[in-house]
Amino acid sequence: MAMDLTEADRGEKGRTARRVLLALALPICLALPGCMSSGSSAVSALSVDKITTAAITPLSADSEIMSDETVIRDLVGDLNEGQMRDPLPWSNALTGSAGVISSFSTLTDGTKSCRVFETTRHGFDGVALFNGRACMRPDGGWDLVEFDRAGS
C-alpha cells in the first residue's frame, strides 16, 4: 500500500509539472504568430523607412537659428529702466539652455546707447558666466556687440 501512495504522488507531481509547462508555453505560442505576421525579420529590420512628414522641416544653412545670444539680446533690448534693477531669468527651448541676467548698467556714447550685463548660462556642457553688451541701432533694434565668457 505504501507503494501505491508513492506512485500516486509521482503521478500528481508529473501532472503538476505538465500544467506549469503548458501555462508557460501557451502565452509564448500565442505571441509568436503576431510577431511573425508583422514582418519582423532580419531582412525587414534592415530596410529603410521611406515615409516622410511635413511636420519636420529641416533647417537650411541660410535660416536664422534662434541661439542663446539672440534670446539674451532680445530680452535685454526689451527691458525698461525699471526692470534693469532685478535679476531676469531667461531660457531657450531650442537649445535647452537657461540662465539669469544681472548686473545691468547703461552706457551712452554720444547717440549710441548700450546696456552692459552679466548672465549665467546653464547648458548641456555645464554652467558658465558671460559678460555682454547690447547696443541700440538707429532703427531701434538691438545688436549684441559683446558676449564673452567671464575669465576667458
Side-chain angles (χ1 to χ4, degrees):
M1 188 145 212
M3 284 286 206
D4 290 334
L5 279 176
T6 306
E7 287 177 28
D9 289 340
R10 283 190 209 146
E12 185 62 33
K13 285 182 184 179
R15 282 190 291 274
T16 303
R18 278 189 229 110
R19 287 182 192 143
V20 170
L21 286 174
L22 183 61
L24 294 174
L26 187 61
I28 293 171
C29 291
L30 292 174
L32 284 177
C35 293
M36 296 174 118
S37 65
S38 68
S40 296
S41 68
V43 175
S44 66
L46 295 175
S47 64
V48 176
D49 186 3
K50 304 262 189 212
I51 297 174
T52 58
T53 67
I56 302 171
T57 44
L59 295 173
S60 68
D62 296 332
S63 67
E64 180 180 350
I65 298 172
M66 191 167 199
S67 66
D68 296 340
E69 291 85 358
T70 305
V71 171
I72 294 166
R73 177 203 67 201
D74 292 346
L75 196 56
V76 169
D78 288 343
L79 295 175
N80 63 40
E81 291 294 324
Q83 293 172 311
M84 292 174 50
R85 286 188 286 256
D86 301 321
L88 184 67
W90 64 270
S91 65
N92 185 348
L94 191 65
T95 63
S97 300
V100 177
I101 303 170
S102 60
S103 302
F104 294 102
S105 62
T106 303
L107 300 173
T108 306
D109 181 19
T111 59
K112 190 175 189 178
S113 177
C114 296
R115 294 179 175 171
V116 179
F117 61 90
E118 286 183 349
T119 184
T120 56
R121 180 184 171 275
H122 308 256
F124 70 92
D125 55 347
V127 179
L129 180 65
F130 288 84
N131 296 315
R133 183 170 57 140
C135 296
M136 185 183 286
R137 295 188 307 258
D139 66 359
W142 290 83
D143 288 325
L144 190 63
V145 295
E146 287 180 27
F147 194 71
D148 302 312
R149 194 175 187 140
S152 296

